[in-house]
Amino acid sequence: MSDSQCIFCKIVSREIPSPLVYEDDEIVVFRDINPAAPVHLLIVPRLHIETLADCENQHGALLGKMVGLAPRLARQEGVGYAGRDGDGGFKTLINTGRGGGQEVYHLHIHVLGGPRPWKPR
Ligand code: DGP
C-alpha cells in the first residue's frame, strides 16, 4: 500500500526522481536530502508504514532485512564496522513521532557515518 501524499512513497514509485543507492522488491535506499554526516542514507520500505510504532509481527522479516542492510551499505560507503579496535562504524537511527523528531511519516532507518563533526539529529 502507498499514500499518495507521502514524499517517500513518491520516491519509491519514481514519481519524484531520486538516485537510489540500493533497491530490491521490498526496500529502497537513497541519500538524505539534508545530510547530517558525510554518509547519510535512508533505508525505506516500499510498503507505506507510518512509524516504527505501527509495525506488527507480520513486519518482523521486513524490519530484519532493513536492519541487516545497514552494515552492508555502510561498508559499501566506506564507513563499515572494522572491529572493536578499528575506526570504522556507523550510527543507525529511527525517529518515531513528534517526540522522537520524526519529520516524514513513512518508516525509515537513518544510517550515518564518516568523519565528525556531524550536525545534531
Ligand atoms: P525523520 O526526521 O527521521 O523523519 O527524517 C526524515 C529525513 O528525510 C530528513 O533527514 C530529511 C529527509 N528528506 C525529507 N524529504 C526528502 C526528500 O524529498 N528526499 C530525500 N532524499 N530526503 C528527504
Side-chain angles (χ1 to χ4, degrees), residues 70-85:
R72 214 179 109 192
L73 293 171
R75 197 176 326 117
Q76 191 177 299
E77 293 286 317
V79 297
Y81 179 57
R84 289 171 58 169
D85 297 327

Side-chain angles (χ1 to χ4, degrees), residues 7-8 11 16 18 30-34 40 42 95 101-105 108 110 121:
I7 188 93
F8 284 1
I11 292 175
I16 295 179
S18 183
F30 47 87
R31 294 183 198 283
D32 195 293
I33 204 168
N34 182 22
H40 189 165
L42 300 173
N95 297 322
Q102 185 171 4
E103 292 167 12
V104 176
Y105 280 78
H108 51 282
H110 295 257
R121 279 280 328 157

Side-chain angles (χ1 to χ4, degrees), residues 4-83:
S4 59
Q5 302 302 310
C6 170
I7 188 93
F8 284 1
C9 283
K10 289 181 182 176
I11 292 175
V12 165
S13 71
R14 316 305 289 143
E15 187 183 333
I16 295 179
S18 183
L20 300 183
V21 173
Y22 172 89
E23 69 174 317
D24 65 27
D25 57 336
E26 293 184 299
I27 294 166
V28 301
V29 179
F30 47 87
R31 294 183 198 283
D32 195 293
I33 204 168
N34 182 22
V39 172
H40 189 165
L41 304 179
L42 300 173
I43 300 178
V44 178
R46 290 188 187 274
L47 185 65
H48 181 81
I49 304 168
E50 288 205 345
T51 77
L52 182 62
D54 295 303
C55 288
E56 299 176 359
N57 280 348
Q58 66 194 30
H59 301 118
L62 175 62
L63 286 170
K65 190 169 166 185
M66 289 169 66
V67 171
L69 263 178
R72 214 179 109 192
L73 293 171
R75 197 176 326 117
Q76 191 177 299
E77 293 286 317
V79 297
Y81 179 57

